[in-house]
Amino acid sequence: LLTLISTLLLVLQSCSPNNVTIQNEYKQYFDETATTGSFGLFDNGSGQFYIYNLAQFKDSSFTPASTFKIVNALVGLETGKIVDEKMTIDIDSIGPVRMDSAFKQSVVPYFREVARRIGKDTMQNWLDSLQYGNKKIGTDLQHCWMNDTLQISADEQLGLIKRLYFKQHPIRASVQESLKKMLIVENNAQFQTAYQQGSVLVKGKKLGWVVGWIEENRHVYPFVINFDAGAEADTDAIGKKLAKDILVHVGFFRGIM
């Protein structure tokens, strides 16, 4: 029953031709960074989606990379495998690492250990309940989000982050609130930005992600970017530039939203 309800929610919250505005002008920002990709933003007030490159946005064959930390942390906290954001794990060659630091600094070994403690069967149950991407773990739980086994679309990522913001996942509200706070990058009187980045080398090129939201004037706008770049590209810097440039183009950071 829970899976059925989750599936219905995903259907009801997904974009359709009736509530999508295609934004072809965003191509200039991908061209400037020598990337190809997609962008999607949801205006919660109007129910409208603003999307560049709809075909790639709906393509469900992308590896989530470190954006999977969102789910890994949610499940870890919900199941008690992560006690709280201060819980430390000893990482070889690094030493003790706190959960919140591992999240912010993308310490992948920390979350591989969290996944091991969660276990394959439990993780599979949660991927099914959350309707996360193709829900495939394969034989290697600790690498499935980096080895192209687990796959997801930008559309699904946008739905995931939207439901996290409104605490609509079948997970304790306190756990979701804790994750929301860890995603915050900048927070001031004018706006709040919160996102998780990720990248992975796939077939000789890098796939990059930015998944999060911007909030201005008490209105929230979840957004997602995914892009392909060269094997040596600084995807962290590119992702931040794409997010800033496109959001400025939309009208954010200028007091007009």
Side-chain angles (χ1 to χ4, degrees):
L1 180 59
L2 180 60
T3 300
L4 176 61
I5 292 172
S6 298
T7 303
L8 289 172
L9 284 172
L10 284 168
V11 172
L12 291 171
Q13 293 167 357
S14 63
C15 62
S16 68
N18 294 327
N19 63 348
V20 170
T21 301
I22 301 299
Q23 304 290 143
N24 289 325
E25 65 268 28
Y26 297 165
K27 181 178 185 295
Q28 62 181 300
Y29 301 110
F30 290 93
D31 289 346
E32 287 173 3
T33 55
T35 61
T36 58
S38 69
F39 171 87
L41 178 141
F42 178 68
D43 181 342
N44 189 66
S46 67
Q48 285 292 121
F49 291 84
Y50 298 89
I51 296 172
Y52 165 69
N53 195 348
L54 183 61
Q56 183 162 329
F57 180 76
K58 301 286 284 186
D59 186 343
S60 60
S61 65
F62 294 104
T63 303
S66 286
T67 65
F68 186 69
K69 289 203 303 287
I70 295 171
V71 170
N72 214 342
L74 283 173
V75 175
L77 287 165
E78 179 70 10
T79 59
K81 302 303 181 183
I82 301 174
V83 178
D84 57 30
E85 70 278 4
K86 299 177 183 178
M87 190 185 89
T88 62
I89 294 178
D90 284 322
I91 306 298
D92 290 344
S93 77
I94 299 176
V97 180
R98 279 177 44 142
M99 186 268 190
D100 49 5
S101 297
F103 197 91
K104 288 286 188 182
Q105 299 169 19
S106 196
V107 182
V108 175
Y110 186 101
F111 288 95
R112 286 178 177 159
E113 174 59 18
V114 169
R116 187 193 68 78
R117 295 182 186 188
I118 290 169
K120 184 176 179 180
D121 290 345
T122 299
M123 184 68 83
Q124 186 65 67
N125 287 337
W126 279 105
L127 292 184
D128 293 341
S129 296
L130 295 169
Q131 292 290 290
Y132 187 86
N134 65 359
K135 304 182 287 292
K136 293 183 179 179
I137 292 175
T139 58
D140 189 353
L141 170 60
Q142 292 177 281
H143 295 84
C144 66
W145 62 90
M146 297 291 284
N147 66 11
D148 220 22
T149 300
L150 188 60
Q151 297 179 332
I152 194 167
S153 68
D155 186 13
E156 290 167 323
Q157 292 267 43
L158 188 60
L160 176 87
I161 204 70
K162 174 182 177 291
R163 290 189 296 280
L164 174 63
Y165 182 89
F166 291 104
K167 292 179 280 195
Q168 295 171 334
H169 288 298
I171 286 174
R172 283 175 292 148
S174 60
V175 169
Q176 295 182 75
E177 185 63 29
S178 178
L179 254 292
K180 285 177 61 179
K181 291 178 180 177
M182 278 187 276
L183 285 165
I184 293 172
V185 175
E186 191 170 1
N187 193 21
N188 57 49
Q190 285 73 45
F191 63 86
Q192 178 189 95
T193 55
Y195 55 80
Q196 175 63 53
Q197 293 186 257
S199 68
V200 62
L201 189 64
V202 179
K203 298 176 182 177
K205 58 184 178 181
K206 277 188 177 177
L207 164 68
W209 286 102
V210 187
V211 181
W213 66 81
I214 182 166
E215 186 174 354
E216 279 196 12
N217 296 321
R218 291 182 286 186
H219 287 89
V220 63
Y221 303 81
F223 69 90
V224 61
I225 301 169
N226 76 341
F227 59 93
D228 293 317
E232 303 301 321
D234 183 347
T235 51
D236 186 60
I238 290 171
K240 289 176 181 177
K241 177 173 172 54
L242 284 169
K244 183 66 178 292
D245 289 350
I246 295 174
L247 291 174
V248 167
H249 183 109
V250 173
F252 293 105
F253 311 115
R254 294 184 285 163
I256 64 176
M257 293 301 291

